[in-house]
Amino acid sequence: MINLKNVTLRRGTKVLLDQASVTLNPGEKVGLVGRNGAGKSTLFALFNRTLIEDGGDFEIPKAWRMAQVAQNMPETDQPAADFVLEGDTRLAELRQRLVLAEESGDGMEMAHVYTDLADAGDHDALPRAEALILGLGFRVDELNNPVNSFSGGWRMRLQLARALMCPSDILILDEPTNHLDLDALVWLEAWLQRYAGTMIVISHDREFLDAVTDVTLHIDHAKLTRYGGNYSAFEILRSQQMELQQASFSKQQDKIAHLQKFINRFKAQASKAKQAQSRVKALERMEKVAPLLADAEFTFGFKEPNNLPNPMLAISEANFGYIVDDEPKAILQGVSKSVLAGQRIGILGANGQGKSTLVKTIARTMPLLGGTLTEGKGLNIGYFAQQELDVLHPQDTPLEHMIRLAKELGPNSGEPSREQDLRNYLGTFNFSGDMVKQAVGTMSGGEKARLVLAMIVWQRPNLLLLDEPTNHLDLATREALSMALNEFEGTVMLVSHDRALLRAVCDEFWMVGRGKVEPFDGDLDDYQRYLLEESKRLREVAKNAARDSTGSVAVPAVETDAPLIAMAAAPAPISAPSSTPGISSAEQRKVDAQKRQQLAAQTRPLKRELEQNEQRMASIEAEKTQLEQQLSTPLPPTEIAEAGRRLKALSDEVTTLEERWLELTHLLEETA
């Protein structure tokens, strides 16, 4: 087990942990939470022994093998599969031993090494590495591409796959979801749920923490507190603890005041001096309860838009993509959509399918390749880029960014633009004191994200385009963003892998994939099932392709239903389509699409009637409660009789509605 006993950790002069004690047991899945700057990454440095404790004792079993994601960007021309395969350090060591044994002709050593290689899983090591790569979103045709041919975010995915490939007793993950889309995130959750060792993870994604952890460590005011349960359980326990602490503190303050009042009143009287002195000693012996030191929560709000054009956007037969060597390369084709005032749209789809391209084109940072995109009169876009530095200048300060923005908007913006006004405004986004003069390039990801949010709010947009806005935000700031978006009166288009934010903000979804943008008829739970069904189909595609080319299967089936996402362009339908013998894959897709359309046409009126049924039952229950309250008070006989008749009629209607509700749910289950 891992033991911290009275451990003190410092970074420079700042004390991050002050005499912290905690025990972690083998096999526990631990979420490490706390505000940005609280010391989470420093504690990780203690776990991996790159940092030594400044005081106290830290123990971790010496025999434990540790795996963690390397933070450096890999620079190598190795094929992706070989790079990830090298993450299995035990296998690499055995293969090197085998080379040496063969060179020396040591038959006995060779026999031992072959046995150890079999135990280490040498026979299926490459397929396991490929399964990890595919699960994290790569395509089959990218398995042998050089590592350097991928962008930074994809190379960091390879570093994650390499860490997962390493046999380990303890796995340390620092924000593993930052470079993942929702598809790969679902796969990673399933993989981590099967991991047999001890895991410690830092994440600001509450649904991810809920899915993969069973213990929560909270760093707060240099103290480390252990809570049993995932993040949601921690929030409940933490709230209860804070209430108890505040109640205990208030009760003790009342007792102290009472003792002090007695001392002050009787300390000068000889007859009461002994009693007064005993109360002084009681005060000295009393173990003081600390006052509740709750941090002020960060909150902000979007200002009311100056106008709300409707529609905001009209997109007709549009092609979205980019220019390569002066030639247009379309990713999305023939898109026809309308964006209305007040809509809350979540944009789903695998990485590389065109989500960011769609958002960037609407934000006017990329040209439209074809068709028309008509903006409503008075459209004012607030754009949060996935890479904050796309809209920030690293060498400039927050104050310089705001001064430049105020000049661009001019006096017609209606906002005060004196330097002190801008300083005060930045202070509301936690940029206080010297921070307003700090170069943006030296700031953390969370600070850059807050600055972008501050600039967007200042512009009073009526259309928000948000491309992964939570990547560097802590949980408190994510909650503040969620609340602000729910109160925003304009339109929101959101790309995010944060399911809690998508659930809280969006009431409809668009699916981007296979060159199209289409409505997704379902919620995020449907989408997750959608991904699991796709994974089954993808495994069959991979096995069939391998069997056709080699006569044997090269890519293994994954142990669970976790998806091998991105082996194809986009997820398949929720109900796994059955293939029809003798037709091509393109024709099969048309057949599957027709089946999905027929299914949607069949279920849509049933779902609508079910929703109306439930609304009517809720309305009846409210009326029945009101009538029952009336009957509990003195009433004239005629009113009592009328209320009784109405109650009987409502009860009969509820019986009929409940029977129809059962019929509808049964029909929907049969249709699905």
Side-chain angles (χ1 to χ4, degrees):
M1 62 182 63
I2 300 173
N3 278 315
L4 284 79
K5 186 175 181 181
N6 298 323
V7 167
T8 297
L9 281 179
R10 292 186 178 89
R11 273 291 168 95
T13 59
K14 185 178 180 180
V15 177
L16 295 175
L17 278 184
D18 185 15
Q19 296 195 344
S21 298
V22 75
T23 297
L24 302 178
N25 300 309
E28 288 185 327
K29 308 296 190 294
V30 182
L32 182 58
V33 301
R35 290 182 174 274
N36 284 346
K40 300 187 295 295
S41 295
T42 301
L43 184 56
F44 262 27
L46 177 68
F47 288 142
N48 65 24
R49 305 311 283 155
T50 59
L51 185 68
I52 304 300
E53 61 273 20
D54 296 289
D57 297 309
F58 170 71
E59 297 176 358
I60 188 169
K62 292 182 179 179
W64 277 16
R65 299 165 298 173
M66 180 177 294
Q68 60 182 325
V69 180
Q71 296 303 307
N72 63 299
M73 189 68 67
E75 297 289 348
T76 176
D77 289 327
Q78 270 185 297
D82 291 349
F83 175 76
V84 171
L85 184 59
E86 284 187 356
D88 191 333
T89 52
R90 169 65 174 157
L91 205 57
E93 176 191 337
L94 289 171
R95 287 180 173 180
Q96 183 59 34
R97 277 178 54 193
L98 181 60
V99 170
L100 296 175
E102 288 174 340
E103 289 176 350
S104 64
D106 189 338
M108 185 61 70
E109 173 68 2
M110 289 168 61
H112 286 308
V113 174
Y114 277 122
T115 301
D116 291 342
L117 281 169
D119 292 340
D122 181 57
H123 63 287
D124 67 348
L126 182 58
R128 283 190 286 114
E130 291 175 342
L132 289 171
I133 298 169
L134 297 171
L136 289 173
F138 293 81
R139 299 191 308 271
V140 173
D141 60 5
E142 294 176 324
L143 289 172
N144 292 314
N145 287 2
V147 171
N148 282 346
S149 68
F150 296 104
S151 65
W154 288 95
R155 277 188 272 174
M156 290 310 296
R157 290 196 192 202
L158 290 175
Q159 289 283 40
L160 174 58
R162 189 178 169 105
L164 300 183
M165 187 69 190
C166 180
S168 60
D169 302 293
I170 177 170
L171 178 62
I172 294 179
L173 299 173
D174 190 349
E175 291 290 359
T177 66
N178 268 1
H179 300 285
L180 303 182
D181 56 10
L182 190 52
D183 307 46
L185 177 54
V186 171
W187 177 89
L188 179 63
E189 281 182 3
W191 194 97
L192 293 176
Q193 286 165 354
R194 303 194 310 275
Y195 178 68
T198 303
M199 181 183 71
I200 307 173
V201 58
I202 295 174
S203 178
H204 293 131
D205 185 327
R206 67 169 57 235
E207 291 207 20
F208 176 74
L209 287 172
D210 278 349
V212 303
T213 65
D214 52 28
V215 172
T216 301
L217 283 185
H218 182 222
I219 302 181
D220 184 47
H221 295 99
K223 300 298 181 185
L224 190 60
T225 308
R226 174 190 166 110
Y227 295 84
N230 59 19
Y231 186 80
S232 292
F234 152 73
E235 281 193 317
I236 295 170
L237 292 169
R238 167 77 169 155
S239 175
Q240 293 171 346
Q241 184 188 69
M242 291 170 73
E243 289 176 6
L244 287 172
Q245 183 177 347
Q246 185 61 38
S248 298
F249 175 74
S250 299
K251 186 176 180 180
Q252 188 180 70
Q253 291 302 302
D254 291 341
K255 185 175 182 180
I256 290 172
H258 179 75
L259 291 172
Q260 192 64 53
K261 185 177 180 180
F262 185 95
I263 294 166
N264 293 340
R265 183 175 180 182
F266 296 111
K267 63 183 178 182
Q269 296 183 21
S271 61
K272 297 285 187 179
K274 184 177 289 187
Q275 292 171 292
Q277 189 61 35
S278 70
R279 283 162 173 75
V280 170
K281 291 180 179 179
L283 272 179
E284 292 172 350
R285 289 194 303 268
M286 186 180 294
E287 186 176 344
K288 301 297 190 293
V289 176
L292 187 64
L293 298 175
D295 293 315
E297 293 294 331
F298 170 65
T299 59
F300 72 98
F302 291 95
K303 300 175 184 178
E304 182 182 355
N306 291 322
N307 64 332
L308 288 173
N310 198 18
M312 293 271 180
L313 294 169
I315 306 170
S316 178
E317 293 298 320
N319 295 338
F320 296 85
Y322 45 89
I323 307 295
V324 180
D325 297 329
D326 296 327
E327 291 292 328
K329 181 176 176 57
I331 300 176
L332 303 172
Q333 297 180 320
V335 178
S336 294
K337 305 290 289 183
S338 292
V339 180
L340 306 178
Q343 277 188 294
R344 300 286 195 276
I345 301 167
I347 302 175
L348 306 176
N351 272 8
Q353 297 307 305
K355 301 191 302 293
S356 293
T357 300
L358 174 67
V359 170
K360 286 180 179 179
T361 305
I362 295 174
R364 312 176 187 123
T365 64
M366 290 179 68
L368 187 69
L369 299 186
T372 59
L373 195 162
T374 306
E375 298 182 353
K377 185 178 180 181
L379 181 70
N380 184 12
I381 294 174
Y383 173 46
F384 189 107
Q386 186 170 356
Q387 301 297 328
E388 294 91 347
L389 288 181
D390 288 353
V391 294
L392 297 178
H393 300 272
Q395 72 280 4
D396 291 347
T397 67
L399 183 59
E400 288 170 337
H401 278 84
M402 289 304 304
I403 290 173
R404 183 166 53 250
L405 180 61
K407 288 180 179 178
E408 289 173 0
L409 295 179
N412 294 328
S413 68
E415 300 293 339
S417 56
R418 294 183 301 114
E419 182 174 316
Q420 188 56 49
D421 294 325
L422 298 176
R423 284 176 174 269
N424 294 342
Y425 175 75
L426 285 169
T428 64
F429 283 83
N430 287 355
F431 292 101
S432 56
D434 293 338
M435 281 192 72
V436 300
K437 290 294 187 75
Q438 180 181 341
V440 167
T442 65
M443 290 182 169
S444 69
E447 289 164 343
K448 293 173 188 172
R450 284 207 315 275
L451 177 56
V452 173
L453 287 173
M455 295 170 66
I456 290 174
V457 171
W458 182 270
Q459 298 173 62
R460 300 182 75 130
N462 47 35
L463 172 61
L464 287 175
L465 302 174
L466 307 177
D467 192 357
E468 296 291 359
T470 63
N471 270 355
H472 300 287
L473 300 181
D474 61 21
L475 282 157
T477 311
R478 290 183 186 210
E479 187 67 25
L481 175 61
S482 176
M483 293 174 62
L485 290 175
N486 276 320
E487 294 172 2
F488 177 59
E489 295 182 11
T491 297
V492 177
M493 297 181 71
L494 173 63
V495 177
S496 179
H497 64 259
D498 187 323
R499 286 159 295 176
L501 183 65
L502 287 168
R503 290 183 202 277
V505 172
C506 301
D507 49 29
E508 63 181 288
F509 296 99
W510 289 359
M511 172 67 76
V512 177
R514 296 192 178 104
K516 301 294 181 184
V517 179
E518 297 176 337
F520 179 77
D521 187 16
D523 57 19
L524 287 179
D525 293 328
D526 295 325
Y527 183 62
Q528 189 153 325
R529 286 192 292 271
Y530 193 70
L531 299 177
L532 295 174
E533 291 297 335
E534 175 69 355
S535 72
K536 296 176 183 177
R537 188 183 71 82
L538 294 176
R539 289 198 298 276
E540 290 304 316
V541 169
K543 286 192 288 187
N544 292 336
R547 189 175 291 114
D548 291 343
S549 61
T550 65
S552 61
V553 179
V555 181
V558 177
E559 294 172 9
T560 71
D561 286 341
L564 291 175
I565 302 303
M567 290 168 62
I574 296 171
S575 298
S578 56
S579 60
T580 305
I583 68 172
S584 68
S585 58
E587 291 171 333
Q588 180 67 52
R589 286 196 296 271
K590 290 181 181 179
V591 171
D592 295 339
Q594 291 172 354
K595 289 181 179 178
R596 290 196 300 273
Q597 291 170 358
Q598 291 170 359
L599 180 63
Q602 291 171 5
T603 58
R604 193 176 295 113
L606 296 176
K607 289 179 178 178
R608 190 181 300 116
E609 184 181 349
L610 186 64
E611 182 178 359
Q612 293 170 350
N613 182 298
E614 290 171 343
Q615 290 173 353
R616 178 57 185 155
M617 284 197 288
S619 175
I620 289 173
E621 288 302 320
E623 187 178 351
K624 285 176 65 178
T625 301
Q626 187 177 9
L627 287 169
E628 288 165 355
Q629 289 175 348
Q630 288 178 4
L631 288 170
S632 66
T633 61
L635 290 172
T638 55
E639 292 185 20
I640 293 174
E642 179 59 28
R645 283 193 294 271
R646 181 58 181 159
L647 269 176
K648 176 67 167 60
L650 291 174
S651 297
D652 291 342
E653 187 178 354
V654 165
T655 300
T656 303
L657 288 169
E658 287 175 342
E659 290 173 355
R660 181 56 180 162
W661 186 90
L662 289 170
E663 292 174 3
L664 290 169
T665 52
H666 182 66
L667 285 170
L668 283 170
E669 288 171 357
E670 286 187 338
T671 306

